[in-house]
């Protein structure tokens, strides 16, 4: 299949696509945090900013070393097992699904305040359809819309902050003094900060999105998107919470929780500012829907290439969009919307726990990268203690959210089990087909003709699954590494065919390697090993040549972890996977 090339995203475009998701939190996270932390909400939000600062380097190190789409799935695939990586992928898809539905529904709730006659459910479906079409048109067109929404949102938030500052200058800090003197309702300052911090972690949902479409970004853009997202939420979220405490009596926060910023705008600037904030809320929440479609497209495409999902989803249109993935994701979102009847609380549970789990797994992936891929070049490094602290804080927030709403956690589990069940079936489909063949032969002997026909079809399917060949490029100097490769293929892949290739530029004698491979061939009788020795220099050109000649996708090719002297970045190898 011919690969469709498209323009890479610059810093503004990439930041806008993922930034609309994370910056939309400004519309609700302050109110949510105030409900639990009261007058100390801004401190809880500052703690969240610290967590995000730690994750900037965590993400920067991982994606700098492995600049491929997939986020947490990508790092775990290259440092652990495919099964653990698929759990991270399932959680990410659930997070995107919940994000798309919640954002579209909340956007229509804001619109309903302006136009009371609209039907929220129908309008939500229309929004999902609209952004499905935009995503199918291509990432370039999506980026244009995302940039417009992003700039409008930041301008609106800036106007709100300036209006609040002027209001305080004119009216003083009487309300702040009143709010600050109120008793704490959450059982002490520490508990209030803990609950507020747990709730405030919703304010960084979307930070993981940029890692899922890094291949569509220009070189060097990814770390800038992390910096920009961190700066936006680290400024606006604590500042807006502090301004709310200075201007709005805490007793009024609950009754205006769903549109607190609009109420703040009406108080400080009048009805025109409240109206502008409502319009902005509709736009930026729709922008978060777009982020979900772009992010899930990159992730599911990568999963399909790795045979976790059927090859059916690889089909692209003329603009290079995986339209079957996008349409399937739309169907999933609409079905979830209809099944839950737009219950935001139920979906919020899936949303919160999914993205917290994804960030935690990403941190674990960073530690595995440090341990298993020490020699892999990376532009920056996060200190091990900082990673441990960051993951610990994510676990703390996860526990805090369970404490805040245990029913939402159960809802999350109800969605996770069937979602991962489908992925588990795909990972073990060869074994399941074999079991089904034996079951048919045992239970349906009277229907012999039907069984023979079914078994032929199943055997053909199983043969196709197992016939996919894998390639490992070896330097030829370490049989222990090749043994680990054999173990990985045996434990993680359905295929049982492996080409071991040695690119020999110095005409070295490989008799010892050939002898070792004969031993491994006897040790792994279920894996068909083929040794190939080629002259040349290992690099992108020879990978392209062999991939085309053998009809083997590059993500089915493995290399050991390269060192600092390696001539190429991993991203230049076209998706070749690190296995040792």
């Amino acid at each position: 299949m011919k690969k469709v090339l498209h323009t890479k995203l610059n810093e503004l475009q990439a930041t806008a696509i993922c930034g609309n998701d994370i910056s939309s939190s400004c519309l609700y996270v302050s109110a949510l945090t105030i409900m639990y932390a009261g007058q100390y909400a801004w401190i809880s939000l500052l703690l969240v900013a610290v967590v995000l600062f730690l994750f900037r380097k965590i993400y920067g190190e991982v994606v700098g070393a492995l600049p491929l789409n997939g986020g947490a799935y990508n790092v775990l695939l290259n440092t652990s097992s495919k099964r653990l990586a698929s759990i991270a992928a399932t959680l990410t898809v659930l997070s995107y699904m919940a994000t798309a539905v919640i954002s579209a529904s909340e956007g229509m709730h804001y619109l309903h305040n302006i136009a009371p006659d609209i039907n929220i459910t129908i309008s939500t479906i229309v929004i999902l359809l609209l952004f499905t079409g935009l995503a199918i048109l291509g990432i370039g067109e999506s980026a244009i819309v995302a940039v417009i929404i992003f700039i409008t949102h930041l301008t609106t938030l800036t106007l709100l902050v300036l209006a609040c500052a002027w209001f305080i200058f004119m009216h003083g800090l009487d309300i702040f003094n009143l709010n600050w003197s109120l008793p704490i309702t959450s059982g002490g300052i520490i508990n209030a900060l803990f609950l507020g911090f747990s709730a405030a972690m919703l304010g960084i949902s979307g930070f993981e999105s940029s890692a899922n479409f890094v291949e569509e970004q220009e070189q060097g853009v990814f770390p800038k998107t992390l910096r920009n997202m961190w700066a936006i939420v680290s400024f606006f979220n604590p500042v807006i919470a502090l301004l709310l405490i200075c201007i709005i009596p805490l007793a009024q926060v609950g009754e205006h929780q769903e549109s607190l910023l609009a109420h703040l705008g009406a108080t400080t600037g009048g009805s025109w500012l409240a109206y502008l904030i409502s319009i902005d809320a509709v736009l930026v929440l729709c922008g978060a829907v777009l982020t979900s479609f772009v992010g899930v497209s990159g992730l599911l495409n990568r999963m399909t290439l790795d045979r976790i999902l059927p090859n059916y989803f690889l089909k692209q249109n003329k603009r290079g969009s995986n339209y079957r993935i996008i349409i399937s994701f739309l169907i999933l979102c609409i079905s979830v919307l209809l099944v839950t009847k737009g219950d935001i609380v139920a979906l919020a549970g899936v949303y919160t726990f999914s993205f917290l789990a994804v960030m935690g797994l990403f941190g674990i992936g960073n530690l595995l990268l440090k341990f298993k891929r020490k020699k892999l070049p990376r532009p920056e490094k996060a200190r091990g203690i900082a990673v441990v602290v960051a993951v610990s804080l994510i676990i703390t927030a996860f526990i805090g959210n369970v404490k805040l709403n245990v029913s939402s956690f159960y809802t999350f589990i109800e969605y996770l089990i069937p979602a991962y069940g489908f992925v588990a079936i795909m990972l073990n489909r060869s074994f399941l087909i074999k079991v089904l063949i034996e079951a048919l032969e045992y239970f349906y002997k009277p229907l012999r003709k039907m069984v023979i026909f079914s078994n032929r079809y199943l055997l053909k399917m199983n043969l196709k699954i197992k016939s996919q060949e894998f390639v490992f490029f070896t330097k030829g100097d370490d049989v222990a590494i090749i043994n680990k490769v054999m173990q990985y293929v045996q434990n993680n892949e359905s295929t049982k065919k492996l080409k071991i290739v040695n690119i020999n530029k110095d005409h070295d004698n490989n008799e010892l390697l050939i002898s070792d491979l004969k031993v491994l061939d006897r040790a792994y009788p279920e894996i068909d090993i083929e040794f190939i020795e080629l002259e040349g220099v290992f690099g992108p050109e020879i990978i392209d040549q062999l991939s085309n000649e053998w009809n083997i996708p590059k993500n089915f090719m493995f290399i050991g972890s390269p060192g600092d002297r390696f001539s190429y970045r991993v991203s230049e190898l076209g998706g070749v996977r690190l296995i040792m």
Side-chain angles (χ1 to χ4, degrees):
M1 182 175 62
K2 185 178 179 180
K3 186 173 178 65
V4 182
L5 299 177
H6 49 74
T7 305
K8 298 284 188 178
L9 300 173
N10 60 33
E11 180 182 349
L12 176 59
Q13 292 170 327
T15 301
I17 288 176
C18 50
N20 281 329
D21 189 0
I22 195 168
S23 65
S24 66
S25 67
C26 300
L27 295 166
Y28 56 81
V29 75
S30 295
L32 191 62
T33 310
I34 289 173
M35 294 295 293
Y36 294 106
Q39 60 269 47
Y40 301 102
W42 59 279
I43 300 176
S44 293
L45 287 161
L46 282 174
L47 291 174
V48 171
V50 172
V51 175
L52 204 60
F53 180 80
L54 295 175
F55 268 95
R56 275 180 59 187
K57 281 204 169 184
I58 293 172
Y59 273 75
E61 178 179 3
V62 168
V63 178
L66 301 167
L68 302 169
N69 288 349
Y73 166 76
N74 176 46
V75 63
L76 291 172
L77 183 68
N78 283 283
T79 56
S80 62
S81 68
K82 184 178 275 190
R83 285 174 175 78
L84 181 58
S86 65
I87 292 174
T90 304
L91 289 165
T92 307
V93 173
L94 284 178
S95 176
Y96 279 133
M97 176 270 296
T99 299
V101 177
I102 289 174
S103 298
S105 181
E106 280 293 296
M108 292 307 96
H109 274 89
Y110 269 97
L111 186 60
H112 186 262
N113 292 333
I114 303 169
D117 295 332
I118 67 166
N119 182 289
I120 292 176
T121 301
I122 294 175
S123 300
T124 301
I125 293 174
V126 169
I127 290 297
L128 292 170
L129 286 168
L130 177 65
F131 283 94
T132 297
L134 187 58
I136 289 174
L137 282 177
I139 198 165
E141 287 71 15
S142 301
I144 294 170
V145 175
V147 167
I148 294 171
I149 294 173
F150 186 61
I151 293 174
T152 301
H153 182 52
L154 293 186
T155 303
T156 303
L157 290 179
T158 303
L159 282 174
L160 177 62
V161 169
L162 292 174
C164 290
W166 179 253
F167 183 90
I168 293 171
F169 178 76
M170 296 298 294
H171 296 85
L173 294 171
D174 292 341
I175 294 177
F176 173 79
N177 293 328
L178 176 64
N179 286 333
W180 193 256
S181 62
L182 291 174
I184 300 169
T185 58
S186 300
I189 294 178
I190 299 299
N191 193 56
L193 289 174
F194 166 64
L195 295 178
F197 168 76
S198 301
M201 286 299 289
L202 266 177
I204 62 172
S205 59
F207 188 73
E208 73 284 359
S209 295
S210 186
N212 284 311
F213 62 95
V214 66
E215 291 179 50
E216 281 71 49
Q217 300 172 29
E218 293 177 356
Q219 188 171 339
V221 163
F222 175 75
K224 294 177 182 177
T225 66
L226 300 182
R227 177 200 63 198
N228 296 340
M229 287 190 287
W230 170 78
I232 289 166
V233 297
S234 297
F235 173 76
F236 281 112
N237 283 351
V239 167
I240 289 175
L242 187 58
L243 292 172
L244 278 163
I245 295 167
C246 292
I247 296 169
I248 306 294
L250 292 183
Q252 295 182 16
V253 171
E255 60 185 282
H256 295 284
Q257 183 178 354
E258 291 185 356
S259 55
L260 186 59
L261 293 199
H263 176 62
L264 179 63
T267 303
T268 58
S271 59
W272 70 271
L273 186 54
Y275 188 81
L276 178 61
I277 291 170
S278 296
I279 294 294
D280 170 64
V282 175
L283 290 175
V284 77
L285 287 166
C286 289
V289 176
L290 180 59
T291 301
S292 298
F293 277 97
V294 171
V296 84
S297 179
L299 172 62
L300 293 183
N301 179 62
R302 178 70 196 281
M303 292 174 66
T304 306
L305 287 171
D306 292 334
R307 300 206 303 174
I308 292 179
L309 296 176
N311 286 342
Y312 170 82
F313 293 112
L314 288 178
K315 184 74 173 176
Q316 292 184 337
N317 61 15
K318 293 180 180 179
R319 294 176 177 268
S321 298
N322 299 103
Y323 64 92
R324 289 179 176 176
I325 289 176
I326 295 169
I327 292 172
S328 300
F329 184 65
L330 167 70
I331 294 170
L332 174 65
C333 289
I334 292 177
S335 63
V336 167
L337 174 68
L338 296 178
V339 168
T340 61
K341 298 179 182 179
D343 183 0
I344 302 299
V345 174
L347 288 169
V350 179
Y351 183 26
T352 304
F353 294 111
S354 295
F355 99 82
L356 284 176
V358 168
M359 291 195 74
L361 286 172
F362 204 101
I364 292 170
N366 181 284
L367 293 174
L368 290 172
L369 189 76
K370 293 178 185 298
F371 179 70
K372 292 187 173 183
R373 303 286 184 266
K374 294 178 182 178
K375 296 181 180 180
L376 190 64
R378 59 205 76 184
E380 59 180 327
K381 291 185 179 181
R383 295 179 63 184
I385 186 64
V387 180
V388 172
V389 170
V391 172
S392 300
L393 289 171
I394 291 293
I395 294 172
T396 301
F398 194 98
I399 294 170
N401 276 283
V402 172
K403 186 175 180 180
L404 289 174
N405 196 343
V406 68
S407 63
S408 290
F409 176 71
Y410 292 140
T411 303
F412 160 68
I413 297 297
E414 289 170 3
Y415 276 87
L416 176 63
I417 290 174
Y420 184 70
F422 174 75
V423 172
I425 289 172
M426 290 300 299
L427 287 172
N428 298 283
R429 59 190 180 276
S430 181
F431 171 76
L432 293 174
I433 288 172
K434 183 179 178 181
V435 171
L436 184 57
I437 290 172
E438 293 178 356
L440 284 171
E441 290 179 348
Y442 181 81
F443 290 107
Y444 292 98
K445 289 182 179 179
L447 303 174
R448 185 170 179 79
K449 290 185 178 179
M450 184 183 297
V451 170
I452 290 173
F453 175 78
S454 300
N455 282 1
R456 283 177 180 171
Y457 175 78
L458 291 172
L459 285 169
K460 185 178 179 181
M461 184 189 300
N462 201 31
L463 182 63
K464 184 178 180 181
I465 293 169
K466 289 190 172 185
S467 64
Q468 177 63 62
E469 292 181 301
F470 280 67
V471 175
F472 175 67
F473 293 99
T474 179
K475 296 177 182 178
D477 57 357
D478 194 345
V479 70
I481 290 179
I482 300 177
N483 183 51
K484 290 181 180 179
V485 171
M486 304 291 286
Q487 292 174 358
Y488 179 89
V489 171
Q490 181 175 260
N491 296 330
N492 291 277
E493 303 294 347
S494 300
T495 188
K496 300 305 174 188
K497 292 186 176 182
L498 178 65
K499 292 180 183 290
I500 296 178
V501 180
N502 177 240
I503 310 296
N504 194 342
K505 68 176 181 178
D506 298 321
H507 305 285
D508 294 330
N509 190 320
N510 280 322
E511 288 184 8
L512 181 59
L513 174 61
I514 293 171
S515 176
D516 289 334
L517 288 177
K518 289 180 180 178
V519 174
L520 289 174
D521 194 28
R522 291 193 294 271
Y524 299 91
E526 68 278 15
I527 301 178
D528 181 14
I529 302 174
E530 179 184 2
F531 176 68
I532 299 172
E533 185 178 3
L534 299 172
E535 291 187 8
V537 178
F538 180 74
E541 293 79 11
I542 203 164
I543 290 172
D544 286 337
Q545 176 190 330
L546 296 179
S547 178
N548 294 326
E549 184 179 326
W550 294 339
N551 194 28
I552 298 177
K554 294 176 189 175
N555 59 302
F556 291 163
M557 296 180 169
F558 302 133
I559 61 171
S561 181
D564 295 333
R565 297 180 181 179
F566 189 56
S567 304
Y568 304 96
R569 300 174 74 241
V570 174
S571 59
E572 296 178 82
L573 304 182
V576 171
R577 284 158 58 182
L578 303 182
I579 197 169
M580 289 298 131

